[in-house]
Amino acid sequence: TQLLEQSPQFLSIQEGENLTVYCNSSSVFSSLQWYRQEPGEGPVLLVTVVTGGEVKKLKRLTFQFGDARKDSSLHITAAQPGDTGLYLCAGARETSGSRLTFGEGTQLTVNP
Amino acid sequence: NAGVTQTPKFRILKIGQSMTLQCTQDMNHNYMYWYRQDPGMGLKLIYYSVGAGITDKGEVPNGYNVSRSTTEDFPLRLELAAPSQTSVYFCASVRDRIFYGYTFGSGTRLTVV
């Protein structure tokens, strides 16, 4: 059983479209992170959210942490080909110290 | 450039062979981790370390061993390679607060045939 469920698993869209990726769990997390991974590289941190209901914006990317701290979403406005990659959510629980639990990832392809 | 360095980048092993995946970081990070990544499965924690001399098992430790004799180095040992260990392996580190996110190496792609 996956602790963090991401949806959709695959997403292929045209340049200029908007999209939302979801990360859901039945567990409460003290913080949640989003990473982006490109082929042949390790994941790179995009954002950390720590407060229930928190919204953070990073240019065209908007991240939200659910009020109950069990879920998160990533919204991309006017997607560009450079947004193509694997998006991973990762959660930290109070009992797990510095260990992160990762979701399965959403593979995003933005076609020109 | 400062960061996490993994070697080798690619390796093909025969069933039953052994090898060590190297990981070193020059950021003086206390916490280090080994993950494996399989298609559609995200990242699974193999082993982790909270400091030199201290290691602990993650979700999927069977078939692997680690050591942490220095702050910088955290090698992962495969003793008897099996096809199920075909995967991409990532080493990561963080200083103390995970708020700032893990720094990952670029991975080792291992194939066991």
Side-chain angles (χ1 to χ4, degrees):
Chain A
T1 302
Q2 192 74 17
L3 192 61
L4 278 170
E5 304 270 355
Q6 282 189 243
S7 61
Q9 189 175 0
F10 298 96
L11 189 55
S12 181
I13 62 171
Q14 295 300 121
E15 182 176 1
E17 292 183 358
N18 301 332
L19 67 114
T20 302
V21 175
Y22 300 93
C23 177
N24 296 300
S25 177
S26 57
S27 298
V28 175
F29 291 96
S30 56
S31 65
L32 199 135
Q33 298 181 332
W34 285 91
Y35 290 79
R36 185 170 80 194
Q37 184 180 16
E38 299 189 14
E41 298 296 329
V44 175
L45 179 71
L46 295 173
V47 77
T48 300
V49 285
V50 297
T51 305
E54 182 175 3
V55 176
K56 280 192 174 178
K57 290 194 173 186
L58 190 66
K59 295 184 181 178
R60 294 176 293 100
L61 279 60
T62 301
F63 305 86
Q64 185 161 7
F65 201 11
D67 291 342
R69 293 186 289 138
K70 293 182 178 181
D71 54 85
S72 181
S73 63
L74 158 60
H75 181 80
I76 301 179
T77 303
Q80 299 177 359
D83 296 325
T84 293
L86 180 68
Y87 289 81
L88 294 157
C89 67
R93 292 185 289 170
E94 293 288 348
T95 55
S96 60
S98 66
R99 287 170 285 157
L100 288 174
T101 298
F102 284 82
E104 316 101 313
T106 294
Q107 181 62 53
L108 172 65
T109 303
V110 182
N111 302 297
Chain B
N1 290 336
V4 177
T5 302
Q6 289 185 240
T7 56
K9 197 155 180 69
F10 303 94
R11 183 73 186 267
I12 297 175
L13 276 183
K14 293 184 178 179
I15 294 172
Q17 286 186 322
S18 300
M19 79 164 293
T20 299
L21 283 66
Q22 300 292 344
C23 174
T24 187
Q25 52 91 8
D26 58 3
M27 299 171 287
N28 201 30
H29 283 177
N30 296 316
Y31 300 90
M32 296 187 74
Y33 310 84
W34 274 105
Y35 283 89
R36 59 176 288 171
Q37 185 175 39
D38 301 305
M41 298 297 291
L43 291 155
K44 299 293 185 185
L45 182 63
I46 305 171
Y47 270 94
Y48 67 101
S49 170
V50 300
I54 306 169
T55 62
D56 210 342
K57 297 178 181 178
E59 296 174 78
V60 289
N62 291 343
Y64 308 95
N65 272 302
V66 293
S67 59
R68 183 95 183 269
S69 56
T70 66
T71 299
E72 294 78 20
D73 300 306
F74 190 39
L76 178 71
R77 179 84 178 158
L78 282 71
E79 288 295 347
L80 291 170
S84 61
Q85 294 177 305
T86 293
S87 188
V88 181
Y89 291 84
F90 287 99
C91 180
S93 72
V94 65
R95 184 176 180 86
D96 42 33
R97 295 188 62 202
I98 63 172
F99 178 89
Y100 299 107
Y102 288 2
T103 300
F104 282 87
S106 57
T108 294
R109 182 174 293 275
L110 175 67
T111 303
V112 182
V113 296

